[in-house]
Amino acid sequence: MADDNGGKPANGNVSENAPADAIETDTPVATKSNEIEDKPTSEKARDFVSAITPSKLSDEPVNNGEVEATNVSEAEGQVKKLPYPKSVFFIISNEFCERFNYYGMRTILVLYLSRQLDYSDDTATVIFHIFTMFVYFLCILGAIISDSWLGKFKTILYLSLVYVCGSVLITLGAIPPLNLPATTFTMLGLSLIALGSGGIKPCVSAFGGDQFKMPEQIKQMTTFFSLFYFSINAGSLISTTVTPILREDVACFGEKECYSLAFGVPAVLMAVSIVIFVLGRPLYKSKPPAGNMVVLVSKTIGNAISTKWKEKKTNPREHWLDYADKKYDRQLIEDVKVLMRVLVLYLPLPIFWALFDQQGSRWTFQATRMDGDMGSWDIKPDQLQVLNPLLILVFIPLYDVAFYPALSLIGIRRPLQKLTMGGILAGVAFIISGVVELELEKTYPITPSAGYIQLRIFNGIPDCSYTINSNLTGFEEIPINGFGKEFEHFIHLENASVSVFYTIKEQKDCPKLSGGVYEFKEKTAYSIFLKDKINAQVPFIYREQMEKPSRANPLVRNLANIDADTDIVWKSHKSGDVESSKKADDRKIMELRATNYDVLVDNVEMQEAQLRHGGVYALIVGVANNGSTLTKLEEVIPPNSMNILWLVPQYVVMTLGEVMFSVTGLEFSYSQAPLAMKSVLQACWLLTVAFGNVIVVIVAEAKIFKSQASEFFLFAGLMFADMIVFMWVAYRYKPNNPILSESTQNLIDDQPETSNDASIAKNNNYDFQQREQQKQRVPRYTKRQQVD
C-alpha cells in the first residue's frame, strides 16, 4: 500500500516516498521484514512492534535454521502448501490473556493509587509513568535475555511467572481483610509486572513468526500477525471496558469499590495465559539463542569511545566511530554510523510520548471531576480510555482512503512531514484539554483564602427561627429562619485565628439553645448545626469539606435532630441494596455511590435523593411541631456538572496524531535502518517511549503550576517547540540509501579478497548473518571491508 494511502507498507514494501532501502531488488525476497506489513498504530502498535523487532527479526537467517533452496524464486516455484502451524493459536491466546491483564491493571492504576493508597494526584501520576517507563526500558533486557541466553520460549515462560507474581501481589494488597501492607505489595507488584511485561514484549510475536517455514508460508504468517494484532486490541478493548465496571459496580469486603476483584480477574487471566502457553510446547519450533545485535552495537560504540579516549591525539580519525575498526568489521561500523544519524532524529520524539501516555494519568484524573451520567448508563472516569482502541479501529481505514490523500493535496507526503503533523496534533489535543480544564475550574468550589473562613449554618429544628449574635465583624447578627441550610458566607477574620463568642436567641415557643465560644482559623470551612436533641441545646460545630471528593464518589453527612437510637438508611432506589445504615447520632461523613436513593428514617421512607459524582451533601433530619419527621438534602459542594463527553474531542485529536506519528515513525525507522540494524533501531524507537514518561515524571514532581490547565498548556507548548526543532533536524537529515550501498558493496565484492585471517576472525557472528542472508538473495553485506 502506498505511503500516501496510510503510511503502512504492504507485503514488506514501503511507500513510494519512503527511502528506498525497503525496496527489494532482483527477484522478490521473502524475509521477516514481511512481519512489519500493515503496521499497527497506537500504544497497541508499540506492544506489537516491540514484540517483533528488538528480537532479531531481520538479523536472523530467514530459513528458520532449515535447509532450503538457496534461490528464492526456485523455492517459490515449488508449489507446496504446508499445513498452518497449530502452535500459533496457543501463542495468540496467550497474548490475549496477557494484554487483558496489562491494560486492565493499567486502566485503574492511578485511581487505586489515589483513592485506596491515598497518594496525591501528582504522586500517583509519577508512579504511573515510572511504571510505564520501566516497561519499555526492560523490552531491551528481554530481547538480550532471549537472543543471547535463554531463547524465546524459556524467556516467555520464566518472565510470565514473574509477571503473575506481580499481579497476585497487587491483588492481595487490595484485599482489606488481609491487612497486608498494600503500598509495599503494590510497589513490589508493579516492579515485577514491569520486568515480566517488558521482558516478554520482544519475544511473543517473534516466537510466533518462528513457527512458519519461509518463504513457503509467507501468506500464512501474514494472517498470523493480523490475528496477533487483533488479540492485542481485543484484550485492550475488553479489559478497559470491564475492569472499571468490576471496580465501581461491585461492592466487596464492605467497601464501595472492589479493586481486589478488578485486579484479581486480570491476574487470573495472566495465570491462564501461562497454562495455555505451556500446553502448546509439544508443537512449538524453537531456535537456540544466536546472539543479539543490540549488544553488538553497544559494544561497538563502547569500543569506539574508549579507543578514542586513548588514541585521539596519536591516531586521529575522520569519525569517532572509526576508532572501533581494530576490533570490529568496517561494514558494521558504517552501519552504526547510519544508525547514529537516525538516532539524532529521535532526540525530540520523547515529548510526543510524554503527552500521549497522560491519557492514563492526567486525563483520567480530569475525567473524575466530570459528570459521567448518561441516563441509563454511567461512564466511569477510567472507562473513557476505551476510546483510544475504538477510535484506532475507525481511523486506520479512514487514513488510507481519506486523510492521507487529503494531506497529499497540501504537500504533506513524506514520512517526516507526516510525523511532524502527528506531533502537532498531539499539541492541539493538549490545548483542547487545557481549555476544557479552564471551563472545568469554573465548576470547582471556591475555598476561603488567607484571612477568611467559610461558614454554613444548618437549622435542624423545623418551625423555629433563631438569631445568632457574635463578635464576627459584619455578621454580628445572623438570622436563621426555616429548616435546612440557612446561612452560607465567607467571613473576614481580624487575625489568622479568632475566638468567636456567640449567643443564640430563639423565637417564642422554640427550644432554647446555649451559646458558647469557638476558635476559627483562616482558610478553613466550618458548619454549625442547630439542634435540641442528642446532647441537647449544644450546637454541633465541625470543619466542613472544602473540595470535591478525590475519589469522585459523592460524600454525605447525616445531621439528625431526632432520637439517638433511630436508624437512618440509604437504600439504592434501583437495586434495593442498603448502601448505608447508621444511628442518628453518627454524624461522620460517608462515601456513597452516585445513584438515586430511598432515604428511610426508622424504617419509614422519607424521600428519594439523587447523589451525583463530585457532590458533597448534608441530610437534615428533624421533627416538626406536629410530630412528623422531616428530611431535607442540602448541597454543601455542587456535584460535577460538566459532561464527561467534553473530553471526547481531545481523545479524537490525540488518536489522529498518534496514528500518523506512530505508524509513520515505525515505518521510517524500519526503512532507514541498515538491513542488519533494523531490530536495533526499532529498540531505540521504543526507548523514546520510556524517556517520554521520564519527562512527565519530572514535570509532575516539579509542581510548577497550581492549575492543571497551565500544565496542559505547558505540555502543548513543549510539543510545538519540539516539532520546530524536529523540522530543523529533519531538514538537515541525510537519508540512508541501502540500494546504493548494496551496489557499491557488490562492486567491492567483485575484487579479490584482501582481508587477512586475523581480520576475518573479527565479528564472526556478524559475518555469519551476512553470508546467510546472501544465500537467500537478500540485499546484505557479504564480506567485511577492513583496512589492515
Side-chain angles (χ1 to χ4, degrees):
M1 198 175 297
D3 187 60
D4 60 356
N5 288 328
K8 296 179 290 183
N11 300 325
N13 297 327
V14 296
S15 66
E16 61 185 2
N17 298 308
D21 52 316
I23 303 175
E24 298 172 339
T25 59
D26 300 327
T27 56
V29 180
T31 73
K32 284 192 177 182
S33 63
N34 294 96
E35 297 177 19
I36 312 297
E37 69 171 332
D38 293 330
K39 283 192 178 69
T41 62
S42 83
E43 184 174 0
K44 273 63 69 181
R46 293 172 354 206
D47 295 330
F48 179 68
V49 176
S50 67
I52 66 174
T53 51
S55 185
K56 285 189 53 185
L57 284 185
S58 58
D59 302 331
E60 296 175 350
V62 296
N63 58 359
N64 288 336
E66 300 178 15
V67 179
E68 298 180 18
T70 57
N71 188 301
V72 175
S73 58
E74 177 182 318
E76 290 176 346
Q78 301 170 358
V79 181
K80 181 180 178 182
K81 185 174 182 180
L82 298 176
Y84 201 92
K86 298 181 177 60
S87 56
V88 300
F89 295 106
F90 292 93
I91 297 172
I92 291 172
S93 300
N94 166 271
E95 180 68 10
F96 170 83
C97 295
E98 187 274 327
R99 290 292 86 188
F100 185 102
N101 177 69
Y102 177 77
Y103 285 109
M105 178 278 302
R106 196 173 181 270
T107 298
I108 62 173
L109 180 58
V110 291
L111 297 185
Y112 177 69
L113 293 171
S114 62
R115 296 181 179 184
Q116 295 298 107
L117 302 186
D118 296 324
Y119 286 109
S120 67
D121 287 2
D122 285 338
T123 305
T125 298
V126 167
I127 294 172
F128 176 89
H129 288 283
I130 287 177
F131 165 72
T132 305
M133 172 193 71
F134 276 112
V135 167
Y136 284 93
F137 269 129
L138 291 171
C139 287
I140 310 302
L141 177 63
I144 294 172
I145 292 174
S146 171
D147 289 342
S148 304
W149 181 26
L150 294 177
K152 297 183 183 68
F153 176 81
K154 289 183 179 179
T155 301
I156 296 170
L157 178 59
Y158 296 160
L159 291 183
S160 291
L161 293 173
V162 173
Y163 199 153
V164 168
C165 289
S167 299
V168 170
L169 284 177
I170 293 180
T171 303
L172 292 176
I175 300 177
L178 297 180
N179 292 319
L180 296 172
T183 301
T184 302
F185 271 54
T186 300
M187 295 304 126
L188 182 57
L190 289 176
S191 301
L192 295 178
I193 290 174
L195 175 59
S197 177
I200 68 176
K201 276 179 183 291
C203 305
V204 180
S205 182
F207 188 58
D210 288 346
Q211 309 308 305
F212 296 88
K213 185 178 181 180
M214 302 302 295
E216 292 90 339
Q217 292 184 293
I218 182 63
K219 291 184 179 180
Q220 293 176 331
M221 190 175 69
T222 300
T223 303
F224 161 72
F225 281 109
S226 297
L227 291 173
F228 187 86
Y229 184 51
F230 176 82
S231 71
I232 291 175
N233 280 280
S236 169
L237 188 63
I238 296 173
S239 64
T240 52
T241 304
V242 171
T243 51
I245 295 174
L246 296 177
R247 173 189 64 79
E248 184 167 314
D249 293 347
V250 179
C252 61
F253 304 113
E255 296 198 346
K256 305 301 179 185
E257 294 181 315
C258 193
Y259 284 96
S260 54
L261 183 62
F263 285 130
V265 170
V268 169
L269 258 72
M270 187 62 214
V272 170
S273 75
I274 297 178
V275 175
I276 293 173
F277 184 69
V278 172
L279 288 176
R281 183 170 189 177
L283 303 175
Y284 295 144
K285 297 177 183 177
S286 297
K287 294 181 181 181
N292 189 277
M293 189 59 66
V294 176
V295 176
L296 182 59
V297 171
S298 301
K299 288 181 177 180
T300 305
I301 294 173
N303 179 263
I305 294 173
S306 62
T307 305
K308 181 181 178 181
W309 180 260
K310 298 174 185 177
E311 302 181 3
K312 60 182 178 181
K313 293 183 179 179
T314 60
N315 188 18
R317 306 296 179 90
E318 182 179 354
H319 192 281
W320 64 273
L321 279 168
D322 292 335
Y323 284 92
D325 62 0
K326 288 186 177 181
K327 185 175 181 180
Y328 293 98
D329 183 88
R330 169 55 57 184
Q331 192 58 52
L332 171 62
I333 294 172
E334 294 302 318
D335 287 349
V336 176
K337 288 181 182 179
V338 174
L339 178 72
M340 298 303 292
R341 289 206 307 269
V342 179
L343 291 185
V344 172
L345 276 176
Y346 280 8
L347 292 178
L349 301 187
I351 295 290
F352 175 86
W353 302 115
L355 274 64
F356 175 81
D357 277 333
Q358 290 188 62
Q359 292 178 89
S361 57
R362 291 300 198 196
W363 284 11
T364 298
F365 284 129
Q366 191 178 33
T368 64
R369 302 187 289 272
M370 305 183 79
D371 183 16
D373 186 9
M374 299 291 111
S376 59
W377 179 37
D378 187 30
I379 301 177
K380 282 72 173 173
D382 41 352
Q383 207 170 34
L384 205 63
Q385 295 177 54
V386 78
L387 279 175
N388 184 259
L390 282 176
L391 290 171
I392 285 167
L393 296 177
V394 173
F395 287 162
I396 288 177
L398 286 180
Y399 262 94
D400 292 340
V401 300
F403 296 154
Y404 279 142
L407 288 174
S408 67
L409 295 178
I410 58 175
I412 299 178
R413 300 183 181 89
R414 291 177 292 178
L416 294 182
Q417 292 176 323
K418 296 174 184 177
L419 197 148
T420 304
M421 189 66 185
I424 292 173
L425 286 173
V428 172
F430 263 68
I431 287 181
I432 296 173
S433 67
V435 172
V436 170
E437 185 66 26
L438 288 176
E439 292 300 312
L440 199 54
E441 287 176 355
K442 297 177 182 178
T443 69
Y444 297 164
I446 300 174
T447 57
S449 57
Y452 285 85
I453 64 168
Q454 186 177 27
L455 182 63
R456 296 180 181 87
I457 302 177
F458 299 94
N459 185 8
I461 308 174
D463 307 321
C464 282
S465 299
Y466 294 89
T467 300
I468 299 178
N469 300 293
S470 70
N471 60 333
L472 288 170
T473 303
F475 294 90
E476 289 80 4
E477 288 191 0
I478 303 175
I480 304 298
N481 302 308
F483 176 68
K485 183 172 68 175
E486 292 299 306
F487 180 85
E488 184 175 19
H489 278 283
F490 288 93
I491 301 176
H492 178 66
L493 298 182
E494 298 296 333
N495 300 301
S497 178
V498 174
S499 293
V500 176
F501 298 88
Y502 65 93
T503 58
I504 303 176
K505 181 180 180 181
E506 72 282 357
Q507 287 188 347
K508 185 178 180 180
D509 299 329
C510 287
K512 183 177 179 62
L513 304 180
S514 300
V517 60
Y518 194 88
E519 185 176 8
F520 291 97
K521 296 181 179 180
E522 64 176 1
K523 297 191 292 187
T524 309
Y526 296 92
S527 288
I528 299 176
F529 177 52
L530 305 182
K531 59 186 178 56
D532 65 332
K533 297 179 175 60
I534 311 176
N535 297 326
Q537 291 131 5
V538 179
F540 175 54
I541 304 178
Y542 60 93
R543 291 192 177 190
E544 187 61 89
Q545 176 84 13
M546 291 196 301
E547 297 179 348
K548 286 183 175 291
S550 60
R551 297 159 61 97
N553 290 329
L555 301 178
V556 183
R557 190 189 304 269
N558 293 332
L559 295 177
N561 185 36
I562 55 178
D563 293 337
D565 291 335
T566 305
D567 291 321
I568 300 178
V569 176
W570 290 78
K571 184 172 67 173
S572 172
H573 182 75
K574 182 178 180 180
S575 65
D577 296 333
V578 173
E579 296 290 331
S580 170
S581 179
K582 291 188 175 184
K583 296 296 182 181
D585 60 350
D586 187 348
R587 300 190 181 103
K588 294 180 181 178
I589 200 163
M590 56 187 175
E591 179 182 335
L592 298 179
R593 299 173 187 271
T595 186
N596 289 353
Y597 289 90
D598 295 323
V599 179
L600 288 77
V601 177
D602 203 17
N603 292 323
V604 177
E605 184 174 329
M606 303 302 302
Q607 72 173 88
E608 182 179 339
Q610 183 184 31
L611 304 184
R612 296 170 58 192
H613 285 295
V616 178
Y617 303 87
L619 178 70
I620 315 302
V621 184
V623 180
N625 290 338
N626 60 7
S628 61
T629 301
L630 301 180
T631 61
K632 188 174 184 180
L633 186 68
E634 297 283 7
E635 281 187 1
V636 176
I637 294 177
N640 299 342
S641 57
M642 194 169 179
N643 195 283
I644 200 171
L645 294 182
W646 280 105
L647 294 179
V648 171
Q650 66 198 52
Y651 275 91
V652 171
V653 176
M654 176 60 79
T655 307
L656 282 169
E658 177 197 358
V659 172
M660 191 175 295
F661 188 95
S662 183
V663 170
T664 309
L666 291 170
E667 174 193 345
F668 180 81
S669 300
Y670 189 82
S671 64
Q672 284 294 281
L675 288 168
M677 297 290 173
K678 296 188 184 296
S679 64
V680 181
L681 200 56
Q682 296 289 358
C684 294
W685 171 267
L686 292 171
L687 288 181
T688 66
V689 181
F691 283 114
N693 283 272
V694 173
I695 294 171
V696 181
V697 171
I698 293 172
V699 173
E701 280 291 274
K703 299 179 181 178
I704 304 172
F705 306 106
K706 291 184 178 180
S707 169
Q708 184 60 62
S710 299
E711 185 176 296
F712 286 152
F713 290 132
L714 170 66
F715 275 109
L718 286 175
M719 190 73 253
F720 293 138
D722 184 66
M723 286 298 99
I724 292 174
V725 172
F726 180 79
M727 285 188 287
W728 179 77
V729 174
Y731 176 77
R732 295 172 56 88
Y733 174 70
K734 181 181 178 182
N736 179 37
N737 190 334
I739 288 185
L740 179 61
S741 300
E742 184 199 352
S743 301
T744 305
Q745 185 65 47
N746 290 336
L747 291 175
I748 296 174
D749 289 343
D750 291 336
Q751 304 301 320
E753 184 171 350
T754 60
S755 299
N756 57 33
D757 294 339
S759 61
I760 292 176
K762 297 176 188 177
N763 193 22
N764 288 333
N765 188 47
Y766 191 75
D767 285 334
F768 171 77
Q769 292 172 9
Q770 293 173 357
R771 291 189 169 93
E772 287 299 315
Q773 292 291 345
Q774 164 69 7
K775 293 177 183 178
Q776 296 299 325
R777 297 180 59 83
V778 179
R780 295 294 296 250
Y781 318 109
T782 60
K783 197 176 299 182
R784 291 173 53 259
Q785 296 304 313
Q786 170 76 36
V787 179
D788 295 319

